[in-house]
Amino acid sequence: MTTRLRNPRIIVPALILLFGTLGTLWFLNNYERKSFEVQAGESPAARANQFLAAQGFLQALGKKVTDRKGMALFSELPPTGDTIILPHMPVGMSKHMTANLLSWIEGGGHLLLVPNGRTSNHPGTGDILKEIGVELHKEKGKDCGCPSEKKKKAESQTVSGAGQDEKKSPKITAEEMMEKLDSGYHPYDSLLDLTIDGFPIHLKYFNSTLLKDESKKAAYRIDGSYRKEYQEEADRQRKSHNKVVKKDGAWLLQYNIGAGKVTVLSEMWLFKNNSIGEYDHAFFLSWLVRDSEQVWLLYALSSDSLGSILWTHLPYFWISSAVLIVLAVWRMQKRSGGLLPPPLDNRRNILAHIDATGLYNWRMGKASAMIAENRKTILHRLARRQLGLSQDQEGENIGLSKLAAKTGFTEHELLIAFRSNVANEQDLIRTSQALQKIENLIQGGKHDR
């Protein structure tokens, strides 16, 4: 029995089981399961659709939401009773498209949109906001947060004359003076305080351009005045905390048109992915579309590119085409059939090269130079043979009468061979024949009359 217990086949598994059990007990006593939240940033779908979170929220409420991209929705409008959300009104809608949209609203549709600051003057375009009577409110002066010149002058006079003339200068507390002189960073939110169906809600105002009810027919209106709420706890002791800033213009205008309605907002930043969860933005969106079961969210007006459309609808076709092209290129690199024999290197006669050289010189206009060189060479050789002239003597000045007496050629034949002008093919033939006769005589032949 003792021998069996000492067997390594029993001891090793027992030790592994013991240490495994002890390690598991130690791990369970010292660690526990916890969930961690990891910030991974926006998904590709959220980057493409900035209203993806709002879409998910409405779907969680039981509403059917369809997101669309491009202008095709205006060509085939959804059934009446649905809601269309336009984060930005398109520029340059045709009059026909605008008329169809108004007819759809009159039939019971709900259009929720933000005006576009850019307008088109083309005579063929229509403007639905003009038909309703909404304009962008143009402020007289843009508030940059800087005091005006009059305000600066008044404050300087107040500070300089505080001890001189207290009756003329307004009374300013020390705390208010410190707030005016403080130029540090004090972040705050601009809030719209509303009461909807008896519930107080708060919305964030992003300082967009407000609206103007030109037609005075708005059934519901939200003013653009907002309240400043500082984010830092230390800044909430300031006098301007919770102070209402009066603004001219409306933040929201709603019109009843037939059986439907049009809701015009100055902005939709509060419904985007990074803002829908703040304050009561999500509740306010659900309240705006409360009467519709189907919501059409046109999150972008630009259509997809042709390449992305083809890839979306025909992915397998393009994958198959790419594989086919790769295989075709690979197949073209392979050898097909037997090897071709190398071309035969036929040896040519030297006369063929001489003939080719003559043809080349003739085509290049070098016939006259060739004839002149032949004449010079043959004349020198003939003069040495018949007249005994040396190599360095000028052969061109040799008298043709002396050569005619020595060789038996006539002066006319020698004139053709050495002096005549070669202007055409016939002259070249006569001169060449004469030179050949003289060359035969030099080589030892007889002169043939």
Side-chain angles (χ1 to χ4, degrees):
M1 187 66 180
T2 306
T3 306
R4 290 181 179 179
L5 292 176
R6 293 178 179 178
N7 192 345
R9 295 181 180 180
I10 299 176
I11 294 175
V12 173
L15 290 176
I16 293 175
L17 180 61
L18 177 62
F19 284 112
T21 304
L22 294 176
T24 304
L25 293 174
W26 174 84
F27 182 81
L28 293 177
N29 290 329
N30 290 275
Y31 292 93
E32 62 181 359
R33 173 175 285 185
K34 291 183 178 180
S35 60
F36 296 92
E37 183 177 353
V38 179
Q39 298 293 336
E42 286 187 331
S43 64
R47 285 195 295 269
N49 183 3
Q50 289 295 316
F51 298 91
L52 186 63
Q55 178 181 345
F57 171 73
L58 294 178
Q59 290 174 343
L61 293 179
K63 295 185 180 296
K64 186 178 179 181
V65 183
T66 304
D67 58 334
R68 297 289 293 271
K69 184 179 182 181
M71 300 283 289
L73 183 62
F74 296 106
S75 300
E76 298 179 2
L77 292 171
T80 55
D82 295 351
T83 297
I84 297 178
I85 299 179
L86 288 179
H88 221 272
M89 188 68 184
V91 180
M93 288 182 62
S94 64
K95 290 183 177 179
H96 176 71
M97 195 177 294
T98 303
N100 289 341
L101 190 58
L102 283 173
S103 299
W104 176 80
I105 296 170
E106 291 175 354
H110 181 198
L111 179 63
L112 196 148
L113 76 157
V114 172
N116 198 326
R118 297 179 298 169
T119 57
S120 177
N121 297 324
H122 194 276
T125 58
D127 191 350
I128 191 171
L129 295 179
K130 275 188 178 180
E131 300 288 339
I132 298 171
V134 178
E135 293 183 0
L136 293 176
H137 181 73
K138 297 180 181 178
E139 297 182 2
K140 295 180 179 179
K142 203 77 172 178
D143 186 10
C144 64
C146 309
S148 61
E149 294 296 329
K150 292 182 178 180
K151 192 174 180 181
K152 284 182 179 180
K153 187 175 181 181
E155 289 180 359
S156 62
Q157 290 177 354
T158 301
V159 174
S160 61
Q164 298 175 5
D165 193 355
E166 295 183 357
K167 294 182 180 181
K168 294 182 179 180
S169 61
K171 293 183 179 180
I172 300 177
T173 62
E175 187 176 355
E176 292 177 349
M177 182 63 67
M178 290 299 296
E179 285 191 14
K180 290 184 178 181
L181 296 177
D182 187 6
S183 60
Y185 176 64
H186 303 283
Y188 65 89
D189 291 335
S190 303
L191 300 182
L192 300 172
D193 300 324
L194 310 176
T195 301
I196 295 177
D197 295 338
F199 297 99
I201 66 171
H202 308 287
L203 306 176
K204 188 175 180 179
Y205 171 55
F206 291 88
N207 295 318
S208 297
T209 304
L210 297 177
L211 308 173
K212 182 179 180 182
D213 183 15
E214 189 68 22
S215 63
K216 308 296 182 183
K217 296 180 180 180
Y220 182 70
R221 172 192 176 100
I222 297 178
D223 290 332
S225 300
Y226 60 89
R227 174 175 56 87
K228 295 176 67 173
E229 182 180 85
Y230 286 96
Q231 299 177 4
E232 302 293 337
E233 187 67 30
D235 294 333
R236 294 181 181 177
Q237 305 299 324
R238 300 169 66 89
K239 288 290 186 180
S240 56
H241 179 60
N242 287 331
K243 182 180 179 181
V244 177
V245 179
K246 297 294 183 181
K247 300 285 287 188
D248 294 332
W251 184 78
L252 180 144
L253 294 172
Q254 192 172 82
Y255 297 86
N256 295 325
I257 301 177
K261 56 185 175 181
V262 177
T263 303
V264 185
L265 293 93
S266 63
E267 60 190 1
M268 280 197 186
W269 297 96
L270 66 164
F271 300 144
K272 288 195 173 184
N273 294 333
N274 55 352
S275 303
I276 187 69
E278 297 180 0
Y279 296 101
D280 300 307
H281 298 167
F283 171 76
F284 184 67
L285 177 61
S286 65
W287 181 80
L288 289 175
V289 298
R290 63 191 181 278
D291 298 329
S292 300
E293 296 296 330
Q294 173 78 38
V295 178
W296 299 82
L297 179 60
L298 190 62
Y299 65 91
L301 297 177
S302 59
S303 302
D304 294 330
S305 61
L306 179 61
S308 61
I309 293 174
L310 293 177
W311 175 255
T312 303
H313 293 84
L314 300 172
Y316 298 112
F317 170 76
W318 295 113
I319 293 174
S320 303
S321 300
V323 173
L324 181 62
I325 292 173
V326 171
L327 292 177
V329 173
W330 174 78
R331 182 66 182 85
M332 292 171 63
Q333 308 302 318
K334 305 295 288 184
R335 189 180 71 192
S336 178
L339 292 175
L340 294 175
L344 298 176
D345 188 13
N346 296 328
R347 300 186 66 182
R348 297 182 180 274
N349 195 309
I350 189 66
L351 294 178
H353 294 282
I354 296 174
D355 185 48
T357 303
L359 291 175
Y360 174 76
N361 290 330
W362 175 260
R363 290 180 181 178
M364 296 300 293
K366 295 183 178 182
S368 58
M370 183 173 60
I371 292 297
E373 187 66 26
N374 290 340
R375 282 175 171 176
K376 182 178 179 181
T377 303
I378 294 174
L379 184 58
H380 275 289
R381 294 173 61 187
L382 184 62
R384 289 199 304 271
R385 181 178 180 85
Q386 300 297 333
L387 302 179
L389 297 178
S390 61
Q391 178 69 23
D392 56 349
Q393 288 180 307
E394 294 291 337
E396 291 83 352
N397 298 326
I398 298 173
L400 297 181
S401 58
K402 294 181 181 181
L403 286 175
K406 291 286 186 180
T407 59
F409 290 101
T410 64
E411 291 188 13
H412 180 68
E413 290 177 336
L414 295 176
L415 183 63
I416 292 174
F418 297 111
R419 299 285 191 269
S420 64
N421 184 24
V422 180
N424 50 41
E425 294 181 2
Q426 296 300 324
D427 295 340
L428 179 63
I429 292 172
R430 286 196 300 271
T431 303
S432 300
Q433 288 177 349
L435 290 174
Q436 287 177 358
K437 291 179 181 181
I438 296 172
E439 180 66 19
N440 289 335
L441 178 64
I442 295 173
Q443 297 294 334
K446 295 182 179 179
H447 172 54
D448 188 7
R449 290 282 183 180

